[in-house]
Amino acid sequence: MLLKSPVAKVSAALLTAAMVSSASEANAFMLIGSSGTWQSTVGGEHIQYGNVGDESQVRWGLPVNFNRFDFNSKSGLGFTGVSNIEFAAGETFQLGRLRHFNNPIWGGTAASAANIVIDLLFEGIGLQQFNFTLEVEETPNRAGNCAYFSNSPCADKISWDNAFASSSFSVDDRDYTLALRGFSNTPGGTIVNDFISQEGGTSEAYLFAQILDITPPPPPPPPVTPPEPEPEPEATVEIESVIEPPAPEPPPVTPGGESVIQPPPPPPGPEATVEIESVPEPTTISGALLGLYLVYRRRRSKASKASKA
């Protein structure tokens, strides 16, 4: 048996699992049909693509017969979709069937991974596409040194590094994506993470997945800031004005320098009463003046006559 060289795993640039929130059971989906198309490989030589019936295939490697155009003698992968499956968001469902063509090829010509586009046609939603990378660990065929249980040296392993698709779709303001969940040998069997393919033949497994609700939660409400307390009014102190009594005048000083002590002022006597005579009426005053004037004229007339005589 020819030996196959080990190959390194290559991870796809997909969403991380931390970005996926809890699944919502509220929305149901009707899958009309699924299909897959192989896009490219990581490594490998003599790559060929083709469809055999409903199965999409990718083949790689140089067969032991050295016929690089012998499609069926190469190693590779095949995907066949399903139809008419109804499920809820978060519920595991069968996505399709995966086959591994584990034929002996010359070392150094195997692919280490294959990229596939999964098409899901939903009723009422339409076609949605998701990209995944399946890793292929082609093990060396050395008897007694197989990495996995092998019927004949040596079995290979199919797996993935990131199960979450990098694309999503929206329904009723909710965002969803497709996540691979694992393989099973039968449609209702136990789901496992790895697909072990025996050497020298074709192995198949059923591929299961989930539609996950990845709608981000609403932002938390803004914190409520309590109103600032109003400042207390400042205390107002009313100061009454105090009128100081006038300072007493110092006692007078005599020429000899001795202070003269003035006797205290006498106590105030009874207030003087001023009697105001009644003022004569204007007519009385006018008559009195007229009388005085007549007397004055009379006296001057007499004095004038006396001087002439």
Side-chain angles (χ1 to χ4, degrees):
M1 181 70 67
L2 296 174
L3 301 182
K4 300 179 182 178
S5 62
V7 294
K9 296 183 179 180
V10 179
S11 301
L14 304 175
L15 290 178
T16 60
M19 296 178 60
V20 180
S21 62
S22 300
S24 169
E25 300 292 342
N27 288 1
F29 298 92
M30 180 62 193
L31 180 61
I32 298 175
S34 66
S35 62
T37 304
W38 300 100
Q39 298 293 307
S40 60
T41 65
V42 178
E45 295 181 7
H46 312 298
I47 308 300
Q48 287 182 291
Y49 302 92
N51 292 319
V52 180
D54 295 333
E55 184 179 48
S56 174
Q57 295 185 9
V58 57
R59 299 290 187 118
W60 57 75
L62 180 62
V64 292
N65 60 11
F66 291 97
N67 185 357
R68 59 191 177 95
F69 300 106
D70 188 354
F71 186 85
N72 293 327
S73 296
K74 297 180 178 182
S75 288
L77 292 172
F79 180 84
T80 304
V82 296
S83 60
N84 298 325
I85 297 179
E86 187 173 3
F87 53 89
E91 181 181 352
T92 301
F93 67 96
Q94 182 182 335
L95 183 64
R97 184 191 68 178
L98 186 70
R99 293 206 297 171
H100 180 217
F101 309 104
N102 195 354
N103 297 320
I105 57 176
W106 290 100
T109 63
S112 60
N115 301 312
I116 186 172
V117 175
I118 301 294
D119 295 335
L120 300 183
L121 180 60
F122 291 105
E123 183 179 273
I125 300 175
L127 181 65
Q128 304 296 328
Q129 293 186 326
F130 307 91
N131 298 311
F132 291 100
T133 297
L134 297 181
E135 298 178 348
V136 182
E137 185 181 356
E138 294 270 11
T139 59
N141 295 326
R142 296 173 182 173
N145 194 26
C146 296
Y148 311 104
F149 171 78
S150 302
N151 296 326
S152 61
C154 273
D156 299 334
K157 184 180 77 170
I158 312 299
S159 61
W160 53 74
D161 185 62
N162 195 328
F164 300 94
S166 59
S167 58
S168 62
F169 63 98
S170 299
V171 179
D172 297 333
D173 297 326
R174 306 295 297 180
D175 297 329
Y176 299 92
T177 192
L178 179 65
L180 302 180
R181 279 294 170 253
F183 304 96
S184 176
N185 292 328
T186 60
T190 302
I191 298 175
V192 296
N193 294 330
D194 301 325
F195 173 23
I196 304 301
S197 174
Q198 296 300 320
E199 181 68 24
T202 300
S203 300
E204 67 177 35
Y206 295 94
L207 183 60
F208 290 86
Q210 288 178 333
I211 294 293
L212 296 181
D213 187 343
I214 57 171
T215 306
V224 179
T225 304
E228 296 183 1
E230 297 183 359
E232 297 182 359
E234 297 181 359
T236 303
V237 180
E238 295 184 359
I239 303 176
E240 296 182 357
S241 59
V242 179
I243 302 175
E244 296 289 339
E249 296 182 359
V253 180
T254 61
E258 295 180 356
S259 299
V260 179
I261 300 175
Q262 298 290 336
E271 296 182 358
T273 303
V274 180
E275 294 183 0
I276 301 174
E277 295 182 357
S278 60
V279 179
E281 295 292 332
T283 55
T284 304
I285 296 175
S286 299
L289 293 176
L290 180 59
L292 291 175
Y293 175 72
L294 294 176
V295 172
Y296 171 74
R297 289 290 302 270
R298 220 179 268 122
R299 287 180 178 177
R300 283 189 59 92
S301 177
K302 290 179 177 181
S304 176
K305 290 178 178 181
S307 64
K308 288 180 180 181

